[in-house]
Amino acid sequence: DFMHRPGAATLVVPWLRSVEDRKRLYGDDRFFNSKEEQEAYIRDWLREMAGMPEEAAKHENGGIGIIFYDAAYYPKFGSIFASCDICSLIPDSTTDVCVLEEPEHLNWFTPCAWSAKFSHVVGIIHTNYKAYASAQFHGIISSGFIQMLGTFVVRAHCDKVVNLSGVLPSVAPYKETVCNVHGIRNDFFGSSSDCTSKTRSSPHCQVYFIGKVLWEKGFDKLLDLEAMYKKKTGHFFEIDIYGSGPDETDIKRAFYGRERRQPEGISSVSSNDSGDDESIDETAAPTGSATLPAAPLSKREKISSIIEDLPRSRYELRKFPVPARFLGRRDHAQLKGMYKVFVNCSISEVLCTTTAESVAMGNWVIIPVHESNNFFSRFPSVLMYGNPAEFVGHLQHALKNDPPKLSEALARELTWEAATERFIEAAAVTK
């Protein structure tokens, strides 16, 4: 039996039963009509993007197994939750070790008898749900409840708990450890580390950020850093921003100000745009045709217009727009060799994957001093700041100098091979 061979693995992933859910999360062009389509996509990604052709093979041909469990997306939580007993889908012949990614999340609504099913259960905690809940208006009540519920289910279902960083609240002190057990794809390493300021290909600027466009990702802090940079130098620093998210409109307004004017020469791509450089407005009147007078607004429309025009944040009251381009979603690896400096102000992360990827790409990386960033302090291209003035000094240094090359030993610490070794050690039961 293949599953009894050393190193055999089965990936258990959600299948969103609702077509609307799949379109919302995966997009209209990749929402999968069947589980078979989604499995084919996963195996193609393993083969083409992750460089794992043996694992990408069909299960019967020696590749990984893939099991789908029915799930649904809950917009209020911004999360996918199982809608069935996952353990019942897993054959008894494959129940040696189980790795639960986000064990609290998996067991909030449909808990399974993981410890009874498997010989050893390891939970890897990625997300600080207490911090996210605390940021909401109901956080003073919900944050404590969520932490208590998470602690209960993790203790009940996991033999060992691995926290990705020390920023996470403790849930089971007697059986938990802090360790970065995540790695990055091989295509983030390589030629970018050989780039210099003369060979990088971005025609616009040297600084970028990639991630979800949410206020929680540090955009308010980024705007404060822009203000400090302008105070010290007389001008803002230019930045390209990649990603999408529900706060995108409000954040753009905060960058561009009340007039919502982008700085001269700056153009953005909406997260819903195709990404083409040129677009045609099919609703525009032809040249030379008469323009119809606008219909008078109703009272409700006038009120809506007034509400829409109200500032969404204090940053929107700025006199001068910040020179930022919002360029939509992009695979981070496609940006290798384009930029020199990666700026990430977020402190809501447990451990930021895009920071690790940018380090591997050979960029300068500027991040705040924070417990979630402790893993990155060992890398010479990482500049950590404790206050806005220190950030300005780091950015000026990075813009004037090429980043140091990553040694083979340090580069290896970012790989999945090294992460797997750390995981094996961290997952062992300790006395």
Side-chain angles (χ1 to χ4, degrees):
D1 183 358
F2 167 76
M3 292 309 296
H4 289 155
R5 298 177 190 174
T10 299
L11 185 64
V12 185
V13 294
W15 167 251
L16 294 171
R17 298 182 64 183
S18 166
V19 174
E20 288 73 22
D21 284 351
R22 297 200 297 275
K23 287 185 176 181
R24 182 200 296 258
L25 295 186
Y26 307 141
D28 290 336
D29 58 338
R30 193 194 297 160
F31 67 90
F32 310 118
N33 289 302
S34 65
K35 295 177 182 178
E36 290 74 20
E37 278 190 17
Q38 186 168 348
E39 178 176 344
Y41 176 84
I42 293 171
R43 294 191 186 279
D44 287 343
W45 187 91
L46 286 170
R47 184 182 303 105
E48 303 298 332
M49 300 297 292
M52 304 172 69
E54 294 182 5
E55 292 81 355
K58 287 285 188 179
H59 182 49
E60 56 270 20
N61 296 328
I64 64 167
I66 296 179
I67 294 175
F68 288 95
Y69 62 88
D70 288 344
Y73 175 70
Y74 292 81
K76 288 185 178 180
F77 292 93
S79 298
I80 296 172
F81 292 103
S83 55
C84 66
D85 181 350
I86 300 175
C87 285
S88 66
L89 305 174
I90 302 171
D92 291 335
S93 60
T94 66
T95 55
D96 185 11
V97 176
C98 177
V99 180
L100 298 179
E101 300 275 356
E102 309 236 32
E104 67 281 56
H105 188 133
L106 286 168
N107 290 287
W108 275 338
F109 296 133
T110 52
C112 301
W114 302 103
S115 296
K117 183 80 172 181
F118 292 89
S119 301
H120 185 55
V121 181
V122 182
I124 301 179
I125 300 184
H126 300 246
T127 305
N128 192 342
Y129 290 105
K130 182 180 180 181
Y132 275 107
S134 298
Q136 307 301 316
F137 72 93
H138 50 66
I140 194 169
I141 298 173
S142 61
S143 62
F145 174 75
I146 287 175
Q147 177 64 17
M148 181 180 66
L149 179 60
T151 298
F152 175 77
V153 297
V154 170
R155 290 185 178 187
H157 295 291
C158 298
D159 299 309
K160 190 64 184 286
V161 180
V162 180
N163 294 334
L164 285 187
S165 78
V167 75
L168 287 164
S170 177
V171 293
Y174 55 94
K175 58 180 177 182
E176 72 183 7
T177 188
V178 176
C179 185
N180 173 19
V181 295
H182 274 193
I184 59 174
R185 305 196 316 256
N186 290 333
D187 52 351
F188 286 102
F189 298 93
S191 59
S192 180
S193 61
D194 299 324
C195 288
T196 66
S197 55
K198 294 181 180 180
T199 60
R200 294 178 188 269
S201 60
S202 176
H204 174 67
C205 70
Q206 301 183 74
V207 185
Y208 80 105
F209 167 80
I210 186 167
K212 291 182 180 178
V213 185
L214 298 169
W215 282 114
E216 289 84 354
K217 297 302 180 182
F219 282 95
D220 55 339
K221 297 175 178 61
L222 178 58
L223 286 164
D224 290 338
L225 294 176
E226 287 275 7
M228 176 57 72
Y229 194 88
K230 187 175 188 296
K231 180 179 179 180
K232 295 286 188 180
T233 67
H235 59 86
F236 296 116
F237 62 89
E238 297 180 344
I239 186 169
D240 284 350
I241 295 170
Y242 293 89
S244 62
D247 296 338
E248 184 173 345
T249 298
D250 291 352
I251 290 172
K252 283 182 178 179
R253 288 171 60 155
F255 272 79
Y256 298 146
R258 290 289 291 158
E259 299 297 326
R260 293 165 208 162
R261 293 178 290 107
Q262 294 170 258
E264 186 177 349
I266 301 292
S267 61
S268 292
V269 177
S270 168
S271 60
N272 296 320
D273 288 346
S274 64
D276 295 334
D277 291 332
E278 298 181 1
S279 60
I280 299 174
D281 184 358
E282 296 179 353
T283 63
T287 303
S289 63
T291 304
L292 296 176
L297 296 177
S298 65
K299 183 179 292 186
R300 176 176 295 181
E301 288 173 331
K302 288 180 180 178
I303 294 173
S304 298
S305 177
I306 292 171
I307 293 174
E308 174 66 22
D309 199 49
L310 292 174
R312 306 291 179 84
S313 68
R314 62 183 176 88
Y315 302 101
E316 196 174 328
L317 302 176
R318 67 176 60 258
K319 294 182 179 179
F320 305 104
V322 174
R325 295 194 304 176
F326 290 82
L327 299 174
R329 290 175 290 184
R330 188 80 65 88
D331 187 323
H332 195 184
Q334 296 176 350
L335 306 182
K336 185 169 65 175
M338 290 179 59
Y339 296 92
K340 187 178 183 181
V341 184
F342 175 72
V343 171
N344 185 0
C345 309
S346 175
I347 56 173
S348 67
E349 312 288 348
V350 173
L351 187 118
C352 187
T353 304
T354 55
T355 296
E357 292 168 349
S358 195
V359 172
M361 290 160 65
N363 300 320
W364 285 112
V365 171
I366 305 180
I367 53 178
V369 175
H370 190 258
E371 202 164 10
S372 63
N373 290 325
N374 284 350
F375 176 79
F376 302 112
S377 63
R378 68 195 72 183
F379 298 98
S381 61
V382 174
L383 306 176
M384 303 181 74
Y385 63 92
N387 55 64
E390 194 173 2
F391 168 86
V392 173
H394 285 335
L395 182 55
Q396 288 177 317
H397 173 79
L399 292 174
K400 293 177 182 177
N401 299 278
D402 288 324
K405 292 185 178 180
L406 200 60
S407 69
E408 290 186 10
L410 284 175
R412 190 181 185 280
E413 293 193 38
L414 298 169
T415 65
W416 274 111
E417 289 78 10
T420 302
E421 292 170 4
R422 294 194 296 266
F423 168 75
I424 292 172
E425 183 177 351
V429 174
T430 53
K431 294 183 180 180

